[in-house]
Amino acid sequence: MEEVLSERKRKILQAIIKTYMETGEPVGSRTISKYADLNVSSATIRNEMSDLTDMGYIVQPHTSAGRIPSDKGYRLYVNELMKEKEAEVAELRDIIIEKTDKMDKVLKKVAKVLASNTNYATMVSVPQYSGNKIKFIQLSRMSDLQLVAVVVSDNNTVRNQIINLDEEMDDQTILKLNLLLNTNLNGIPIQDINLGMIARLKEQAGSHSGVVATVLDAVAATIHVEEEDMEIYTSGATNIFKYPELADKEKATELISAFEEKHELADLVKEQMSDGENTGIQVYIGDEMPIQTMKDCSIVTARYELGDGMYGTIGIIGPKRMDYENVVDSLKELKNHLDDVLKKKKT
């Protein structure tokens, strides 16, 4: 029966593997002693490393005093240590889902109150993430000719991608691809993954470059916000009929359709999210409107923040002769209130 590793041995093995993955050089006890969470002497680490060597998790190259992981060590790292990350992500995802449910109620109320206070139409988008980094990537076997790639970003967005293979891939190759992808991509902002980096990874993957390309497609998908994925709450659309210049049957039908379909509203939110400098109040008048069907309107928008790169948009839509001073004041006050409420809900 295989001996169960103590928590300290697991931490030391994890430190050796991570350091070796970063440097490619054999790892000594002095290097491992710098890991703050170990809090043990170099002598203790040397003893533990000796045990790990005897157990077959690490090996000592002939020309060095340091150690490198064995296949058995890598296998433990992938099977157990990455499971811990998956459990952590699942727990965080549950928390986010629970808080999102409460957030939805807050945002619906915000849209309603704003429409009532201003007598215009309103929209509020559920926060979306920006500036994602890759947390980790896991390739796993589904069947002889299928893998699944799980890509998790630092905001715990999870994407699964099925990869069809031309021929069966052994466990050792899957392990090496996992190490290649995680060593090169963990902690990297997704937007910083460029053609040069992709070409280098595909070259290192050799005959398995197609698998790497498919995984990178899944990575790219974590920052692509589809219109149907974006929740937008609206209220007060019928307020538009109170203004004669917007009450024309054809115009009113188009406006109501824009509020019901929400595709164009989603485009507006995405445009704002892509502009990192648009953090304050924005006013679009008539032809400045990004939404074609609202060229006879004005819209005043503000970005609110949940933290951790998570932003949403509040907007007030009305006639060009809207009371801008009142609208801007209302929006500023509500934006500040929403920032406070949502940040409290997050903690």
Side-chain angles (χ1 to χ4, degrees), residues 183-314:
T183 304
N184 285 279
L185 298 177
N186 279 10
I188 299 288
I190 293 172
Q191 292 87 340
D192 289 356
I193 298 174
N194 53 37
L195 291 173
M197 188 182 295
I198 292 169
R200 192 171 68 250
L201 281 173
K202 288 172 75 171
E203 185 182 347
Q204 289 177 30
S207 61
H208 305 295
S209 62
V211 173
V212 169
T214 307
V215 172
L216 291 170
D217 286 343
V219 169
T222 64
I223 58 169
H224 182 61
V225 181
E226 297 288 353
E227 288 171 355
E228 57 267 29
D229 289 342
M230 188 183 291
E231 280 288 351
I232 296 177
Y233 301 118
T234 59
S235 188
T238 53
N239 285 341
I240 287 165
F241 296 121
K242 295 176 182 176
Y243 305 96
E245 64 268 45
L246 300 177
D248 168 87
K249 187 177 179 183
E250 188 177 330
K251 287 179 185 174
T253 302
E254 284 184 343
L255 286 169
I256 294 297
S257 175
F259 276 93
E260 286 178 350
E261 297 295 328
K262 300 180 183 175
H263 295 310
E264 290 175 308
L265 296 178
D267 285 340
L268 171 64
V269 173
K270 283 196 282 186
E271 186 178 304
Q272 288 212 314
M273 281 184 66
S274 66
D275 187 348
E277 295 178 5
N278 273 356
T279 55
I281 304 280
Q282 302 293 316
V283 180
Y284 303 90
I285 302 169
D287 287 337
E288 298 170 359
M289 287 284 284
I291 301 174
Q292 189 63 39
T293 54
M294 295 185 179
K295 293 294 184 186
D296 293 313
C297 301
S298 286
I299 180 169
V300 183
T301 66
R303 180 192 282 188
Y304 68 89
E305 185 180 349
L306 183 55
D308 297 333
M310 210 176 169
Y311 303 99
T313 298
I314 322 170

Side-chain angles (χ1 to χ4, degrees), residues 15-16 19-20 23 25-29 31-32 49 64-68:
I16 291 169
T19 306
Y20 183 66
T23 66
E25 299 290 333
V27 183
S29 58
T31 303
I32 299 304
M49 287 176 72
S64 169
R67 305 290 200 279
I68 65 172

Side-chain angles (χ1 to χ4, degrees), residues 21 82 136-137 177-186:
M21 283 164 64
M82 291 190 80
F136 73 94
I137 296 169
L177 286 173
N178 269 318
L179 292 172
L180 171 69
L181 290 163
N182 282 288
T183 304
N184 285 279
L185 298 177
N186 279 10

Side-chain angles (χ1 to χ4, degrees), residues 47-207:
N47 289 337
E48 296 284 29
M49 287 176 72
S50 177
D51 289 347
L52 286 168
T53 304
D54 292 342
M55 295 166 78
Y57 289 106
I58 54 177
V59 294
Q60 182 174 12
H62 296 300
T63 56
S64 169
R67 305 290 200 279
I68 65 172
S70 66
D71 288 356
K72 182 179 176 183
Y74 280 133
R75 173 49 61 197
L76 183 77
Y77 175 76
V78 171
N79 286 359
E80 293 190 25
L81 302 180
M82 291 190 80
K83 271 184 195 171
E84 289 175 10
K85 284 200 170 191
E86 287 172 353
E88 173 194 331
V89 168
E91 183 184 344
L92 285 167
R93 193 163 59 237
D94 289 344
I95 291 169
I96 288 169
I97 289 167
E98 180 195 338
K99 301 216 174 203
T100 300
D101 183 50
K102 294 175 185 173
M103 192 192 306
D104 287 353
K105 290 171 186 167
V106 172
L107 297 179
K108 284 176 184 174
K109 188 175 179 183
V110 163
K112 194 172 181 179
V113 167
L114 202 53
S116 175
N117 288 351
T118 61
N119 247 338
Y120 302 127
T122 59
M123 57 163 278
V124 183
S125 74
V126 170
Q128 302 287 334
Y129 293 98
S130 62
N132 300 349
K133 293 181 181 178
I134 295 172
K135 189 168 186 177
F136 73 94
I137 296 169
Q138 175 76 56
L139 281 176
S140 304
R141 187 191 308 282
M142 282 189 71
S143 64
D144 289 348
L145 292 176
Q146 273 193 331
L147 303 178
V148 60
V150 180
V151 181
V152 182
S153 59
D154 60 351
N155 57 50
N156 300 306
T157 299
V158 180
R159 295 279 175 182
N160 297 321
Q161 182 78 37
I162 303 296
I163 300 172
N164 294 310
L165 304 173
D166 294 327
E167 57 184 38
E168 191 174 349
M169 189 179 289
D170 60 37
D171 290 344
Q172 192 68 20
T173 304
I174 295 172
L175 174 59
K176 284 178 180 173
L177 286 173
N178 269 318
L179 292 172
L180 171 69
L181 290 163
N182 282 288
T183 304
N184 285 279
L185 298 177
N186 279 10
I188 299 288
I190 293 172
Q191 292 87 340
D192 289 356
I193 298 174
N194 53 37
L195 291 173
M197 188 182 295
I198 292 169
R200 192 171 68 250
L201 281 173
K202 288 172 75 171
E203 185 182 347
Q204 289 177 30
S207 61

